[in-house]
């Protein structure tokens, strides 16, 4: 079995479904996790899906991912726009990182246009709601496949 993909979610994403549905939609995080599981099965990947409201926990999970997970899909929520600590942790990771946001952060308030995650990520998917996680997993599968052939 190849190493699993770690899918990390930051603050307030536990309240998807009730949180600003006009921006984030009505899907819950559990709905997204289920769709990701289905996509992972189809791609022959294993995934581990987690959420935390704490910056320190996200940093620790990213640190611990080194050597254990084949890749990281990260929606750091608001920490995207504030956290040098998450950026530094991502720089320690040698595996591919894909940044995800449900909303199109570039169509929103200017403070959301800057991401500390982006310079440490292979790519960024935003604006497609929960489906963005499935797109990220598909992109991750391609990256891992082409890396395996090198
Ligand atoms: C978000 C966008 C962030 O700006 C915001 O703070 C979030 C969610 C998204 O998925 O669209 O919490 O990461």
């Amino acid at each position: 079995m190849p190493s699993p993909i770690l899918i990390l979610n930051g603050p307030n994403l536990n309240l998807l479904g009730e949180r600003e549905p006009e921006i984030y939609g009505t899907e819950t995080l559990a709905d997204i996790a289920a769709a990701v599981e289905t996509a992972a099965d189809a791609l022959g990947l294993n995934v581990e899906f987690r959420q935390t409201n704490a910056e320190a926990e996200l940093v620790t999970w990213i640190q611990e991912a080194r050597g254990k997970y084949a890749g990281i899909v990260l929606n750091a929520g608001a920490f995207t726009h504030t956290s040098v600590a998450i950026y530094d942790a991502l720089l320690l990771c040698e595996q591919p990182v894909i940044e995800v946001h449900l909303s199109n952060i570039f169509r929103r308030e200017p403070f959301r246009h800057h991401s500390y995650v982006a310079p440490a990520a292979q790519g960024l998917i935003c604006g497609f709601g929960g489906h963005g996680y499935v797109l990220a997993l598909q992109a991750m599968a391609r990256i891992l496949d082409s890396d395996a052939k090198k």
Side-chain angles (χ1 to χ4, degrees):
M1 257 299 173
S3 304
I5 312 299
L6 186 59
I7 303 185
L8 297 180
N9 293 281
N12 300 307
L13 293 167
N14 54 316
L15 293 182
L16 285 180
E18 46 184 296
R19 175 188 181 201
E20 299 177 274
E22 66 291 354
I23 295 173
Y24 298 114
T26 52
E27 261 186 319
T28 65
L29 198 61
D31 294 333
I32 293 172
V36 164
E37 277 292 343
T38 303
D41 283 350
L43 293 163
L45 294 173
N46 277 322
V47 290
E48 204 175 303
F49 198 94
R50 300 187 200 164
Q51 188 274 334
T52 179
N53 288 326
E55 182 178 14
E57 195 161 31
L58 263 186
V59 169
T60 301
W61 285 346
I62 293 166
Q63 288 180 4
E64 289 172 354
R66 292 185 305 148
K68 287 197 203 127
Y69 294 87
I72 300 174
V73 173
L74 173 62
N75 183 351
F79 295 144
T80 304
H81 318 298
T82 61
S83 181
V84 177
I86 288 174
Y87 171 62
D88 283 345
L90 291 170
L91 291 183
L92 287 164
C93 294
E94 60 294 332
Q95 67 270 68
V97 175
I98 299 181
E99 176 176 1
V100 171
H101 299 283
L102 295 121
S103 63
N104 181 350
I105 55 174
F106 303 104
R107 284 179 83 172
R108 301 183 62 195
E109 305 95 315
F111 69 85
R112 294 186 205 272
H113 298 180
H114 177 262
S115 165
Y116 281 101
V117 173
Q122 190 128 356
L124 184 162
I125 294 168
C126 72
F128 299 104
H131 187 57
Y133 289 75
V134 171
L135 296 173
L137 206 59
Q138 289 169 347
M140 186 65 81
R142 271 179 81 98
I143 294 165
L144 297 177
D145 199 42
S146 75
D147 284 355
K149 287 177 184 143
K150 275 180 194 156

